[in-house]
Amino acid sequence: QENLIGALLAIFGHLVTSIALNLQKYSHIRLAGSKDPRAYFQTKTWWCGLLLLVLGELGVFSSYAFAPLSLIVPLSAVSVIASAIIGIIFIKEKWKPKEFLRRYLLSFVGCGLAIVGTYLLITFGPNSHEKMTGENITRHLVSWPFLLYMLVEIIMFCLLLYFYKERNANYIVVILLLVALLGSMTVVTVKAVAGMLVVSIQGNLQLDYPIFYIMLVCMIATALYQATFLAQASQLYDSSQIASIGYILSTTAAITAGATFYLDFTGEDVLHICMFALGCLIAFLGVFLITRNRKKSVPFEPYISMDAMPGMQNMHDKGIAVQPDLKASFSYGALENNDNMPEIYTPATLPIVQEQHGSKGVSAPPYRVLEHSKKE
């Protein structure tokens, strides 16, 4: 029963969070496409999205107090499913039935697989239930499986951070592994803080234990650093790649942390563990197919606006824009027509006017020096 309560809270939280983020995105897009001078935080749609976002995060936070960590973390696939369905419902283009099915076939298959994987996760999830009291959390914190796991994780994190900072290894797997390792500690501390708060609300006060504040500080610190690495990854890679790879790595690291810290799979038989692992794999495949179907963003090709430079004339007349030459040439300022013409104009060269100065036998300089008086 506690597993079901926790799973339902997590599913509700992820659904509401996905709807909230899409509402806020809709408010930004609507303001950008209109002449409304208001800022985004002055619209009712954005504030409605913010309130739903807080409600969804509270639901996910409280779910950790009821169900095992290894069960709650993979359920974040629900947010990916909800985002895909919302994107299909509110799509702007008009498709024929065959084209629509062909275009979104991967999304439909991915949503189906993710739903099947979620069902297996809830059905065969671990059934370890333990009161999150200060004594229990302190005992788990000093247990040898978790200490060994922490040692391995610290070594891995330091090595990855060294290659990322010193060797400039800006690979998506490296950055998202750093996020996953930090995220595993975040969910461990979130479950401890949420569990101790629920036990305190039930009448057994746990806020006078120092371990509560230690976990609270670790939760905030790891969440902030995790957001920093995610922001760096979003600047380098596409959001669909971050969503799929990040979900797989973060879920794997969090399940491992829950199995070592809270001993989630203690007393479980082999069949339940194998079915739970199968549910994780199916959910991984579903999320990968959903994010695989998303359109890749077209990279922006910058152009130089000559009217922004002092002393230069405006060269945007008649659909002609000043573009940098991208054809491995050292010239800068190739003119390219915007009217879909096949011709590409080569960079113009300025003629050198040579004037005769002095005798005929002396070569003239390629320029002339004009003397100006102080008044001129």
Side-chain angles (χ1 to χ4, degrees), residues 23 38 74 81 93-94 97 105 130 141 151 154 189 255 263 295 298 304 313 335:
L23 274 178
R38 294 181 300 170
I81 300 172
E93 295 89 350
K94 294 181 180 180
L105 181 60
E130 184 181 17
L141 190 63
L151 178 62
I154 291 173
T189 53
I255 291 175
L263 305 176
K295 293 181 179 180
V298 179
I304 306 301
Q313 297 179 356
L335 299 180

mmCIF file of all heavy atoms in Angstrom, residues 23 38 74 81 93-94 97 105 130 141 151 154 189 255 263 295 298 304 313 335:
data_model
loop_
_atom_site.group_PDB
_atom_site.id
_atom_site.type_symbol
_atom_site.label_atom_id
_atom_site.label_comp_id
_atom_site.label_asym_id
_atom_site.label_seq_id
_atom_site.Cartn_x
_atom_site.Cartn_y
_atom_site.Cartn_z
ATOM 1 N N LEU A 23 3.031 24.942 -19.902
ATOM 2 C CA LEU A 23 2.273 26.176 -19.772
ATOM 3 C C LEU A 23 3.182 27.394 -19.759
ATOM 4 O O LEU A 23 2.900 28.410 -20.416
ATOM 5 C CB LEU A 23 1.435 26.147 -18.486
ATOM 6 C CG LEU A 23 0.058 25.484 -18.558
ATOM 7 C CD1 LEU A 23 -0.591 25.502 -17.179
ATOM 8 C CD2 LEU A 23 -0.834 26.206 -19.560
ATOM 9 N N ARG A 38 3.985 43.315 -22.111
ATOM 10 C CA ARG A 38 4.141 42.781 -20.764
ATOM 11 C C ARG A 38 5.284 41.771 -20.687
ATOM 12 O O ARG A 38 5.605 41.100 -21.662
ATOM 13 C CB ARG A 38 2.851 42.103 -20.305
ATOM 14 C CG ARG A 38 1.666 43.033 -20.114
ATOM 15 C CD ARG A 38 0.465 42.240 -19.642
ATOM 16 N NE ARG A 38 0.089 41.208 -20.597
ATOM 17 C CZ ARG A 38 -0.806 40.257 -20.345
ATOM 18 N NH1 ARG A 38 -1.383 40.192 -19.154
ATOM 19 N NH2 ARG A 38 -1.104 39.364 -21.266
ATOM 20 N N PRO A 74 12.910 5.772 -11.301
ATOM 21 C CA PRO A 74 12.600 5.490 -12.713
ATOM 22 C C PRO A 74 11.265 6.042 -13.182
ATOM 23 O O PRO A 74 11.038 6.138 -14.392
ATOM 24 C CB PRO A 74 12.596 3.949 -12.770
ATOM 25 C CG PRO A 74 13.350 3.503 -11.574
ATOM 26 C CD PRO A 74 13.069 4.522 -10.532
ATOM 27 N N ILE A 81 6.851 11.017 -21.132
ATOM 28 C CA ILE A 81 5.638 10.582 -21.834
ATOM 29 C C ILE A 81 4.639 11.727 -21.937
ATOM 30 O O ILE A 81 4.053 11.979 -23.003
ATOM 31 C CB ILE A 81 5.010 9.379 -21.108
ATOM 32 C CG1 ILE A 81 5.993 8.205 -21.046
ATOM 33 C CG2 ILE A 81 3.728 8.945 -21.788
ATOM 34 C CD1 ILE A 81 5.515 7.053 -20.175
ATOM 35 N N GLU A 93 1.179 21.941 -37.192
ATOM 36 C CA GLU A 93 1.081 21.545 -38.586
ATOM 37 C C GLU A 93 -0.104 20.610 -38.824
ATOM 38 O O GLU A 93 -0.554 19.911 -37.928
ATOM 39 C CB GLU A 93 2.367 20.826 -39.030
ATOM 40 C CG GLU A 93 3.605 21.701 -39.023
ATOM 41 C CD GLU A 93 4.308 21.666 -37.680
ATOM 42 O OE1 GLU A 93 3.718 21.121 -36.737
ATOM 43 O OE2 GLU A 93 5.427 22.195 -37.586
ATOM 44 N N LYS A 94 -0.581 20.622 -40.062
ATOM 45 C CA LYS A 94 -1.659 19.724 -40.476
ATOM 46 C C LYS A 94 -1.066 18.585 -41.292
ATOM 47 O O LYS A 94 -0.408 18.810 -42.297
ATOM 48 C CB LYS A 94 -2.692 20.483 -41.305
ATOM 49 C CG LYS A 94 -3.446 21.549 -40.516
ATOM 50 C CD LYS A 94 -4.476 22.239 -41.386
ATOM 51 C CE LYS A 94 -5.231 23.308 -40.595
ATOM 52 N NZ LYS A 94 -6.234 23.994 -41.438
ATOM 53 N N PRO A 97 -3.327 11.509 -42.409
ATOM 54 C CA PRO A 97 -3.229 10.405 -41.439
ATOM 55 C C PRO A 97 -1.983 9.545 -41.632
ATOM 56 O O PRO A 97 -1.320 9.182 -40.669
ATOM 57 C CB PRO A 97 -4.519 9.621 -41.684
ATOM 58 C CG PRO A 97 -5.473 10.625 -42.213
ATOM 59 C CD PRO A 97 -4.657 11.582 -43.032
ATOM 60 N N LEU A 105 5.425 7.765 -35.409
ATOM 61 C CA LEU A 105 5.402 6.343 -35.086
ATOM 62 C C LEU A 105 6.348 6.030 -33.930
ATOM 63 O O LEU A 105 6.004 5.290 -33.002
ATOM 64 C CB LEU A 105 5.778 5.521 -36.326
ATOM 65 C CG LEU A 105 5.778 3.995 -36.152
ATOM 66 C CD1 LEU A 105 4.388 3.505 -35.752
ATOM 67 C CD2 LEU A 105 6.246 3.303 -37.427
ATOM 68 N N GLU A 130 10.889 1.221 5.725
ATOM 69 C CA GLU A 130 11.620 1.531 6.944
ATOM 70 C C GLU A 130 11.312 2.968 7.340
ATOM 71 O O GLU A 130 11.256 3.872 6.486
ATOM 72 C CB GLU A 130 13.125 1.353 6.719
ATOM 73 C CG GLU A 130 13.962 1.564 7.958
ATOM 74 C CD GLU A 130 15.451 1.401 7.670
ATOM 75 O OE1 GLU A 130 15.818 1.452 6.478
ATOM 76 O OE2 GLU A 130 16.232 1.227 8.618
ATOM 77 N N LEU A 141 24.289 5.454 7.053
ATOM 78 C CA LEU A 141 25.359 6.339 6.583
ATOM 79 C C LEU A 141 26.740 5.779 6.877
ATOM 80 O O LEU A 141 27.688 6.019 6.109
ATOM 81 C CB LEU A 141 25.195 7.716 7.225
ATOM 82 C CG LEU A 141 26.063 8.845 6.682
ATOM 83 C CD1 LEU A 141 25.735 9.125 5.224
ATOM 84 C CD2 LEU A 141 25.889 10.113 7.522
ATOM 85 N N LEU A 151 33.255 5.786 -1.714
ATOM 86 C CA LEU A 151 34.659 5.845 -2.125
ATOM 87 C C LEU A 151 34.791 5.715 -3.638
ATOM 88 O O LEU A 151 35.503 6.498 -4.288
ATOM 89 C CB LEU A 151 35.448 4.745 -1.415
ATOM 90 C CG LEU A 151 36.937 4.638 -1.778
ATOM 91 C CD1 LEU A 151 37.665 5.926 -1.389
ATOM 92 C CD2 LEU A 151 37.569 3.433 -1.097
ATOM 93 N N ILE A 154 33.366 8.933 -5.327
ATOM 94 C CA ILE A 154 34.252 10.094 -5.210
ATOM 95 C C ILE A 154 35.419 9.981 -6.183
ATOM 96 O O ILE A 154 35.815 10.959 -6.840
ATOM 97 C CB ILE A 154 34.739 10.251 -3.749
ATOM 98 C CG1 ILE A 154 33.573 10.679 -2.848
ATOM 99 C CG2 ILE A 154 35.867 11.253 -3.656
ATOM 100 C CD1 ILE A 154 33.919 10.689 -1.382
ATOM 101 N N THR A 189 19.603 12.018 -0.217
ATOM 102 C CA THR A 189 19.330 13.018 0.818
ATOM 103 C C THR A 189 17.868 13.478 0.782
ATOM 104 O O THR A 189 17.289 13.776 1.825
ATOM 105 C CB THR A 189 20.266 14.218 0.636
ATOM 106 O OG1 THR A 189 20.169 14.702 -0.708
ATOM 107 C CG2 THR A 189 21.706 13.832 0.918
ATOM 108 N N ILE A 255 19.448 4.150 -8.632
ATOM 109 C CA ILE A 255 19.066 2.812 -8.177
ATOM 110 C C ILE A 255 20.225 2.152 -7.438
ATOM 111 O O ILE A 255 20.036 1.498 -6.398
ATOM 112 C CB ILE A 255 18.606 1.963 -9.370
ATOM 113 C CG1 ILE A 255 17.271 2.488 -9.905
ATOM 114 C CG2 ILE A 255 18.452 0.498 -8.979
ATOM 115 C CD1 ILE A 255 16.804 1.784 -11.164
ATOM 116 N N LEU A 263 19.367 -0.224 1.176
ATOM 117 C CA LEU A 263 19.243 -1.680 1.036
ATOM 118 C C LEU A 263 17.862 -2.060 0.490
ATOM 119 O O LEU A 263 17.134 -2.883 1.066
ATOM 120 C CB LEU A 263 19.511 -2.383 2.379
ATOM 121 C CG LEU A 263 20.858 -2.058 3.050
ATOM 122 C CD1 LEU A 263 20.945 -2.730 4.408
ATOM 123 C CD2 LEU A 263 22.015 -2.466 2.163
ATOM 124 N N LYS A 295 12.470 16.936 -33.310
ATOM 125 C CA LYS A 295 13.186 17.670 -34.348
ATOM 126 C C LYS A 295 14.449 18.287 -33.772
ATOM 127 O O LYS A 295 14.438 18.854 -32.692
ATOM 128 C CB LYS A 295 12.288 18.778 -34.917
ATOM 129 C CG LYS A 295 11.090 18.254 -35.686
ATOM 130 C CD LYS A 295 10.296 19.430 -36.234
ATOM 131 C CE LYS A 295 9.094 18.943 -37.032
ATOM 132 N NZ LYS A 295 8.304 20.068 -37.563
ATOM 133 N N VAL A 298 17.837 23.821 -35.704
ATOM 134 C CA VAL A 298 18.704 24.276 -36.780
ATOM 135 C C VAL A 298 19.696 25.272 -36.214
ATOM 136 O O VAL A 298 19.306 26.238 -35.553
ATOM 137 C CB VAL A 298 17.865 24.930 -37.899
ATOM 138 C CG1 VAL A 298 18.762 25.427 -39.022
ATOM 139 C CG2 VAL A 298 16.837 23.950 -38.412
ATOM 140 N N ILE A 304 26.723 39.634 -40.224
ATOM 141 C CA ILE A 304 27.238 40.905 -39.768
ATOM 142 C C ILE A 304 26.342 42.014 -40.289
ATOM 143 O O ILE A 304 26.157 42.156 -41.485
ATOM 144 C CB ILE A 304 28.688 41.132 -40.259
ATOM 145 C CG1 ILE A 304 29.548 39.952 -39.855
ATOM 146 C CG2 ILE A 304 29.251 42.427 -39.714
ATOM 147 C CD1 ILE A 304 29.601 39.714 -38.375
ATOM 148 N N GLN A 313 27.399 52.001 -44.510
ATOM 149 C CA GLN A 313 26.069 52.136 -45.052
ATOM 150 C C GLN A 313 25.257 50.869 -44.797
ATOM 151 O O GLN A 313 25.807 49.799 -44.610
ATOM 152 C CB GLN A 313 26.133 52.411 -46.556
ATOM 153 C CG GLN A 313 26.828 53.728 -46.893
ATOM 154 C CD GLN A 313 26.888 53.955 -48.375
ATOM 155 O OE1 GLN A 313 26.477 53.095 -49.150
ATOM 156 N NE2 GLN A 313 27.377 55.117 -48.778
ATOM 157 N N LEU A 335 28.627 38.399 -50.066
ATOM 158 C CA LEU A 335 27.224 38.783 -50.182
ATOM 159 C C LEU A 335 26.422 37.603 -50.671
ATOM 160 O O LEU A 335 26.790 36.964 -51.651
ATOM 161 C CB LEU A 335 27.074 39.967 -51.140
ATOM 162 C CG LEU A 335 27.812 41.243 -50.724
ATOM 163 C CD1 LEU A 335 27.574 42.317 -51.753
ATOM 164 C CD2 LEU A 335 27.344 41.697 -49.359
#
